[in-house]
Amino acid sequence: MEQFIVRSTTKKQTVVCEDNLESMEAKSKCYLFDGKFFKIINVSDDGKNISAECQYCFKTVNGQKSSTGNFLSHIKFKHSYLMEQVKAAKTAKAVKKNVQSFKKQETLPFLHSNKISKQKIIDLTFAYIVEEMRPLVTCEKPAFKRLVKGLCGLDDATSLPDRRVMSKELNNKYISYITILTDLIAKQNFICTTADIWSCNNKSYLGMTCHFIDEHTYVRYSYILGCRRIKGSHTYFNITETMNEITHTYNIQNSKISHTVTDNASNFGKAFRTYSLKSIGQESLNINSDNWFGDETTCDDDHNTGEEIDYCSADFDTIDWSTMVQNSEDMESDDICLPDHITCSAHTLSLIATVDVDKISDKCYTINSKSAFSKLCSFWNLLSRSTVASDRVYDICGCKFPVPVVTRWNSSFDAVKKIIAHKETVISSFNDLKLQQLKKKDWSFLEEYCLVMEPLATSLDKIQAEKSCFLGYVAPTIISLRLLLIQQTNLTYCRCLALSIINSLEKRFNFIFDLENIKSKPYIIASISHPKFKLSWVPARYLTICKNIFLSECNSMNSVMNSDSIEYYSADSDEEFYGILTQSKYSLGHSAAESVHLNNDTSNGTTVQALSYFDSKNKDLSMLNTFPSVKRVFFKYNTTLPSSAPVERLFSSGSQILTPRRNRLQDKTFEMLLCCRCLMKENC
């Protein structure tokens, strides 16, 4: 006869079968109710509330099935010596649960099915190798094979690819990449390219990237054109040949390229001065002209060394006439020519921050600078060489301090800025490391140094942005930078630093401050056609010239392209930086601009449209939908990037592929891996 337990409550009686209670304990997922610590004696009708009897003091404890708080509290306060056993039981229960879950997964049917095809395994393996920049032989590593076999439930390795399969897949993907990118470029009216030379493992490579703005989504897209081996000296002719080979791979016409952006290296400058279509045409049409569309450089430094252009010198190459004739014949036979050229504005700003600043001759500044930076260099050197010192500084300051990189000026500014931000703890660190302390004068100098250099660092960050920056940013950024430096009058130690940067800006960017210069036209039109700036940055004395240039370009573009509906986003995050353009007396107000006399026929629809564009107060790029003529001009000039930073980012990826252990990697394979990685990232 079955026994029953009857429990009375204030509301009603609940009768529970003892066999059912034992069944409930067996099925319970909680480690407390397995009969060792508590035994369930009662369950409410709804199954939420339970009563359990302690197996050590036989006291009845009430609680909820979903919460063990009352039961754990009872053990903690009445039987504290059992807490270790409770924890051990909880851990054992969790381990048992995980094992059961794993065994259950092993029995899942899809793991032992043949749904994963051989091609799928090849595709996934190839994607992993390319995206993670691993060697092709990775697929033959025993550990990798075991991983794939275990995940796919394979009994043998016959379905696993080897390096030959991966090599074939790489070649197919590269051909597909060229086809896709060629079709994309063919659909664009304008593209921009960047180029630079990189050396690694005693080899040199010329890298190129291309960029265009989709006319329907207004999003800038970036792709790798190639990273091709360049053998021998980096002469202007070798550079020209390699660049032509890369562009011909994608059937790119030079007329489609708005500009090619490079750094200030003299060999690139000479290549474009010699072989660009613009330079070739001007040699016969306007040799002595001082206005519009002249040479990209202001001096004839034709070295082939790849060094930066020095605007203070005028050096010439001595070239054998037979070589010149041979190069000319090669150019004619192979149709070698280059597009228009623009130097990297970010690289020029970096030269100002390093080369030009180092030339400051003011004795007081030199002494203060040497005193402060010599102590900081001792600190940085110690951190980079001693792990003990680095750990000690981290314990004191609670952070790591970056060590400046020689090739990146921004890193020096950021390093000094962080030192100042942790001034008190840095002083303690200097004492602990027994380094020569920075004096009060040194701290004052460093604070003024950051105050002067911060606008320059901000300008660099804006110009180097790949997705959100356009050529139209260059002129307003340089002018704003100069005005911000001029306003810094309360300087004690770094006044000559500010003056030196101002003078360097006026010298290296003379075409921005002298808008009648032969190099100014693309920068003028790019900035005016950008709704964010329009005419706000133009000095009063150049307003008539700039307006007429822009209107003339709108009229000439009117018959070239048809407009499409375009939508874009607003970019007003730079108002604080560019606000100085409207605050200063540098530019005319809107009412003054309206009074300027224009030598244009206002009955012309394109001209009227452009003037209406000036009157609009909307700064969003989407407003270009209303002004199709202005939109065409915007695409022509703002497709160009102001910086060659993208190709430098390409080299960063290349250095992760072409490691010292892979120095036997073939040049073609290296280039294909880079291009396929670009395709993989685009599809992610």
Side-chain angles (χ1 to χ4, degrees):
M1 183 175 180
E2 293 183 342
Q3 298 179 354
F4 292 87
I5 297 177
V6 181
R7 182 176 180 81
S8 300
T9 62
T10 58
K11 293 184 179 181
K12 58 182 178 180
Q13 279 189 329
T14 305
V15 181
V16 182
C17 177
E18 186 173 315
D19 291 343
N20 292 339
L21 290 176
E22 292 176 357
S23 176
M24 184 175 295
E25 289 174 356
K27 295 180 180 179
S28 176
K29 296 181 179 180
C30 183
Y31 60 95
L32 291 175
F33 306 127
D34 59 355
K36 181 178 180 180
F37 301 104
F38 289 95
K39 184 177 181 180
I40 298 175
I41 60 174
N42 188 30
V43 181
S44 63
D45 292 340
D46 56 9
K48 293 182 179 179
N49 299 320
I50 60 176
S51 298
E53 184 181 64
C54 177
Q55 298 301 294
Y56 292 90
C57 65
F58 302 103
K59 181 178 180 180
T60 300
V61 180
N62 299 320
Q64 294 181 349
K65 186 178 180 181
S66 59
S67 175
T68 59
N70 290 349
F71 305 102
L72 284 174
S73 297
H74 175 78
I75 294 177
K76 183 177 181 180
F77 293 108
K78 298 295 183 180
H79 314 289
S80 58
Y81 61 90
L82 295 175
M83 288 303 296
E84 291 297 328
Q85 297 182 33
V86 171
K87 293 179 181 179
K90 183 178 180 181
T91 303
K93 185 76 174 180
V95 172
K96 183 178 180 181
K97 181 180 178 181
N98 291 336
V99 171
Q100 291 176 347
S101 176
F102 179 76
K103 289 182 178 179
K104 184 178 179 181
Q105 289 181 5
E106 281 189 325
T107 62
L108 292 177
F110 77 87
L111 285 175
H112 296 287
S113 67
N114 295 323
K115 292 183 179 179
I116 301 179
S117 64
K118 182 177 181 179
Q119 185 59 43
K120 183 66 174 178
I121 296 175
I122 293 174
D123 292 340
L124 292 174
T125 303
F126 179 79
Y128 166 76
I129 288 175
V130 172
E131 291 182 39
E132 296 300 320
M133 294 173 285
R134 307 299 301 169
L136 296 181
V137 75
T138 300
C139 61
E140 297 182 356
K141 299 291 184 181
F144 186 82
K145 287 184 176 182
R146 289 196 300 270
L147 175 66
V148 177
K149 286 172 61 178
L151 293 175
C152 298
L154 301 176
D155 296 328
D156 53 48
T158 56
S159 299
L160 301 182
D162 56 18
R163 75 177 81 182
R164 295 181 182 86
V165 175
M166 289 291 99
S167 180
K168 183 179 179 181
E169 188 72 11
L170 176 62
N171 187 65
N172 292 337
K173 293 290 186 183
Y174 179 66
I175 294 174
S176 176
Y177 176 82
I178 292 177
T179 303
I180 294 172
L181 187 53
T182 301
D183 292 340
L184 280 174
I185 293 175
K187 296 176 183 178
Q188 310 305 317
N189 291 315
F190 299 101
I191 68 168
C192 164
T193 61
T194 66
D196 199 1
I197 295 178
W198 169 65
S199 296
C200 181
N201 293 341
N202 297 323
K203 296 179 181 179
S204 296
Y205 296 89
L206 188 145
M208 288 188 70
T209 63
C210 76
H211 313 266
F212 58 83
I213 304 173
D214 188 273
E215 295 189 7
H216 301 287
T217 63
Y218 240 83
V219 176
R220 187 187 292 276
Y221 291 92
S222 302
Y223 292 91
I224 297 171
L225 287 180
C227 192
R228 200 151 296 181
R229 177 78 180 276
I230 179 169
K231 297 183 179 180
S233 300
H234 302 166
T235 62
Y236 69 96
F237 186 71
N238 284 343
I239 290 173
T240 304
E241 278 192 319
T242 307
M243 291 178 66
N244 269 271
E245 289 176 6
I246 294 175
T247 54
H248 288 165
T249 302
Y250 300 90
N251 297 326
I252 301 175
Q253 300 176 356
N254 287 327
S255 59
K256 188 184 288 286
I257 303 176
S258 58
H259 293 94
T260 296
V261 187
T262 71
D263 59 17
N264 291 16
S266 57
N267 49 4
F268 274 106
K270 183 172 182 180
F272 283 94
R273 288 196 302 274
T274 306
Y275 292 114
S276 69
L277 292 175
K278 181 188 296 184
S279 298
I280 294 172
Q282 286 177 344
E283 286 179 2
S284 58
L285 295 177
N286 198 14
I287 295 177
N288 297 319
S289 174
D290 291 331
N291 294 311
W292 307 123
F293 283 115
D295 193 7
E296 279 293 321
T297 57
T298 58
C299 61
D300 295 317
D301 46 343
D302 293 340
H303 301 296
N304 296 320
T305 60
E307 297 179 355
E308 292 84 0
I309 295 173
D310 184 0
Y311 290 86
C312 301
S313 64
D315 300 327
F316 297 87
D317 280 342
T318 301
I319 303 175
D320 182 42
W321 178 252
S322 61
T323 304
M324 178 72 76
V325 173
Q326 181 64 38
N327 289 347
S328 300
E329 292 176 354
D330 292 340
M331 183 186 70
E332 293 176 1
S333 61
D334 298 335
D335 194 25
I336 295 178
C337 59
L338 296 175
D340 295 341
H341 177 227
I342 279 184
T343 54
C344 175
S345 299
H347 188 250
T348 305
L349 285 175
S350 295
L351 291 176
I352 292 174
T354 53
V355 176
D356 294 350
V357 168
D358 289 342
K359 294 179 180 179
I360 296 177
S361 58
D362 185 85
K363 186 175 181 180
C364 181
Y365 172 83
T366 303
I367 293 174
N368 292 330
S369 176
K370 186 175 181 180
S371 173
F373 280 102
S374 62
K375 296 170 184 176
L376 289 183
C377 286
S378 300
F379 176 65
W380 290 325
N381 290 337
L382 185 60
L383 292 183
S384 61
R385 295 173 182 174
S386 172
T387 57
V388 176
S390 180
D391 292 339
R392 185 58 184 160
V393 170
Y394 184 83
D395 292 338
I396 296 174
C397 302
C399 64
K400 292 284 187 179
F401 289 92
V403 178
V405 180
V406 178
T407 56
R408 292 289 180 270
W409 171 80
N410 277 34
S411 64
S412 300
F413 171 78
D414 293 337
V416 175
K417 192 174 181 180
K418 191 159 188 177
I419 290 286
I420 294 176
H422 297 79
K423 179 178 178 180
E424 299 300 327
T425 54
V426 167
I427 292 175
S428 301
S429 299
F430 272 59
N431 286 330
D432 188 79
L433 299 175
K434 298 180 180 180
L435 295 174
Q436 187 178 0
Q437 278 287 357
L438 289 162
K439 299 179 181 178
K440 184 177 180 179
K441 190 176 182 180
D442 296 329
W443 285 109
S444 299
F445 171 82
L446 292 174
E447 289 171 358
E448 285 195 5
Y449 175 85
C450 287
L451 184 65
V452 172
M453 286 300 196
E454 187 157 16
L456 181 57
T458 303
S459 301
L460 264 173
D461 292 338
K462 291 181 181 298
I463 289 177
Q464 290 183 127
E466 185 174 338
K467 296 294 184 181
S468 59
C469 194
F470 306 89
L471 184 64
Y473 271 66
V474 175
T477 299
I478 299 304
I479 291 174
S480 296
L481 172 59
R482 179 177 177 271
L483 292 175
L484 289 169
L485 291 172
I486 290 175
Q487 286 187 352
Q488 294 183 3
T489 55
N490 299 323
L491 298 174
T492 304
Y493 303 99
C494 295
R495 180 61 182 168
C496 61
L497 174 63
L499 292 175
S500 174
I501 296 174
I502 292 171
N503 291 333
S504 297
L505 287 172
E506 294 173 349
K507 184 177 181 181
R508 292 185 180 270
F509 290 98
N510 63 314
F511 53 90
I512 298 298
F513 301 104
D514 179 13
L515 296 180
E516 293 181 351
N517 190 286
I518 54 179
K519 293 174 59 178
S520 301
K521 184 175 181 179
Y523 297 92
I524 292 172
I525 298 175
S527 297
I528 295 178
S529 64
H530 197 297
K532 183 177 182 65
F533 305 110
K534 296 179 183 175
L535 292 168
S536 63
W537 62 278
V538 181
R541 63 184 180 277
Y542 295 117
L543 193 61
T544 302
I545 295 174
C546 292
K547 266 194 170 183
N548 284 325
I549 291 170
F550 178 73
L551 293 174
S552 176
E553 186 66 24
C554 288
N555 283 306
S556 64
M557 284 288 294
N558 187 43
S559 58
V560 177
M561 297 172 60
N562 295 321
S563 63
D564 293 319
S565 178
I566 298 176
E567 295 183 359
Y568 203 67
Y569 57 88
S570 173
D572 293 328
S573 60
D574 301 329
E575 287 301 323
E576 184 177 352
F577 182 83
Y578 295 110
I580 193 169
L581 295 173
T582 56
Q583 295 171 4
S584 74
K585 298 180 180 180
Y586 189 78
S587 60
L588 286 178
H590 181 68
S591 59
E594 290 179 342
S595 64
V596 177
H597 176 69
L598 297 174
N599 297 321
N600 293 88
D601 182 9
T602 56
S603 63
N604 185 305
T606 303
T607 302
V608 172
Q609 188 181 124
L611 293 175
S612 300
Y613 163 77
F614 291 144
D615 292 334
S616 175
K617 295 182 179 179
N618 191 347
K619 295 184 178 181
D620 297 343
L621 284 173
S622 59
M623 63 92 68
L624 291 174
N625 298 332
T626 314
F627 309 100
S629 297
V630 178
K631 186 180 68 175
R632 298 187 196 103
V633 175
F634 174 86
F635 270 101
K636 179 179 179 180
Y637 287 90
N638 281 289
T639 297
T640 300
L641 285 168
S643 168
S644 61
V647 74
E648 296 182 10
R649 298 186 184 104
L650 164 65
F651 296 150
S652 297
S653 298
S655 62
Q656 298 178 54
I657 297 176
L658 200 63
T659 59
R661 293 185 63 182
R662 301 179 68 184
N663 58 358
R664 291 186 295 175
L665 186 67
Q666 294 183 4
D667 299 330
K668 188 63 177 179
T669 303
F670 169 63
E671 183 178 19
M672 290 193 294
L673 286 170
L674 274 177
C675 292
C676 289
R677 185 169 184 268
C678 177
L679 181 63
M680 295 291 182
K681 291 175 65 178
E682 188 67 25
N683 292 332
C684 289

